[in-house]
């Protein structure tokens, strides 16, 4: 069984508010798991995290 990772409340709040992406793959897994997603969906979305962070762009962020 994979080890559990803790997710600080402040980090979770920034992710939910779309102010930040998870800081690491482990934080991504912790966030998705906290949402109650099934392991298969967590794995698929973690692969998406790798694709997004491999080629970062600011287009997903709001402009002020």
């Amino acid at each position: 069984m994979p080890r559990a990772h803790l997710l600080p409340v402040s980090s979770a709040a920034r992710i939910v508010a779309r102010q930040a992406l998870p800081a690491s793959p482990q934080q991504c897994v912790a966030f998705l798991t906290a949402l109650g997603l099934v392991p298969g969906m967590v794995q698929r979305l973690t692969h998406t995290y790798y694709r997004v962070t491999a080629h970062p762009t600011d287009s997903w962020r709001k402009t002020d």
Side-chain angles (χ1 to χ4, degrees):
M1 176 175 250
R3 289 182 38 201
H5 295 278
L6 297 178
L7 180 66
V9 174
S10 59
S11 297
R14 285 192 302 276
I15 295 167
V16 169
R18 296 180 166 190
Q19 296 172 342
L21 289 173
S24 68
Q26 294 84 6
Q27 196 176 68
C28 180
V29 169
F31 179 73
L32 296 171
T33 302
L35 293 177
L37 298 178
V38 296
M41 184 59 75
V42 170
Q43 183 179 14
R44 287 177 31 198
L45 290 173
T46 301
H47 287 291
T48 301
Y49 170 83
Y50 280 113
R51 288 195 311 268
V52 168
T53 58
H55 303 289
T57 178
D58 288 340
S59 64
W60 61 274
R61 293 187 182 148
K62 290 182 181 179
T63 56
D64 294 313

